[in-house]
Amino acid sequence: MKNKLYLLLAGLIILGSFGIMGCAKEEKNAKVTAEQLIGQDFLLVSLDGEAFPGDTPPGMRFDDNMRISGNFCNRYTGTATLEGGTIKVGQMASTKMACANGYLNNLERVVPAMLMDGADLSLENDRLYIRQGGHEVIYKKAR
């Protein structure tokens, strides 16, 4: 009888630990909300694993009503929707100046396409991850 009680207790402990681990995982992968983004400024860290090569990284800001704005070589703006961890911008407006920086030119091509197509969005440790179509852009919260 004692052995059965110990086995039952051990089983409950093991099952309980799986439940605790599951909760921790859910918390880390929690969906980003508009409230977490509105009023926040972010600075570019990297595109597809390649760190920004300059001293002043491009930024992205989320204003009221989820209007995003930022800059690479050119400034851009658009209104985003956020649903189920996916961010999407219907239309983006941008200036059209020539840019000699290849890294920034690549950003100007990739990031708007990601946002207009709908990209997965996560926020972990003050880092904003935008993923879509095999690309990953990482921003960090500006201080």
Side-chain angles (χ1 to χ4, degrees):
M1 182 71 172
K2 266 188 172 178
N3 286 341
K4 287 183 182 180
L5 185 59
Y6 287 129
L7 285 173
L8 179 61
L9 185 57
L12 289 174
I13 290 171
I14 291 170
L15 287 175
S17 67
F18 283 124
I20 291 170
M21 288 186 321
C23 289
K25 184 176 182 182
E26 286 175 24
E27 190 173 308
K28 181 178 180 185
N29 294 326
K31 301 220 177 352
V32 178
T33 65
E35 290 77 23
Q36 291 173 290
L37 299 174
I38 290 174
Q40 296 294 322
D41 290 293
F42 294 90
L43 298 173
L44 182 76
V45 173
S46 66
L47 168 64
D48 296 333
E50 186 180 340
F52 178 70
D55 294 332
T56 307
M60 178 184 287
R61 176 168 179 71
F62 290 84
D63 290 334
D64 294 339
N65 301 319
M66 287 296 290
R67 189 177 64 104
I68 64 169
S69 59
N71 65 296
F72 302 121
C73 276
N74 290 286
R75 295 196 154 294
Y76 64 88
T77 187
T79 301
T81 58
L82 187 60
E83 187 174 320
T86 300
I87 187 169
K88 187 167 186 169
V89 177
Q91 293 182 342
M92 292 185 82
S94 136
T95 57
K96 300 289 183 190
M97 297 182 298
C99 182
N101 183 310
Y103 189 94
L104 292 176
N105 273 331
N106 195 28
L107 281 169
E108 286 190 354
R109 181 183 57 79
V110 171
V111 174
M114 292 172 70
L115 294 172
M116 288 189 292
D117 288 344
D120 294 329
L121 193 68
S122 61
L123 185 62
E124 299 171 18
N125 301 320
D126 289 338
R127 296 218 173 204
L128 183 68
Y129 296 85
I130 305 171
R131 298 177 180 104
Q132 194 275 337
H135 294 288
E136 178 182 66
V137 181
I138 302 173
Y139 284 87
K140 66 179 177 180
K141 277 189 180 180
R143 301 285 173 199

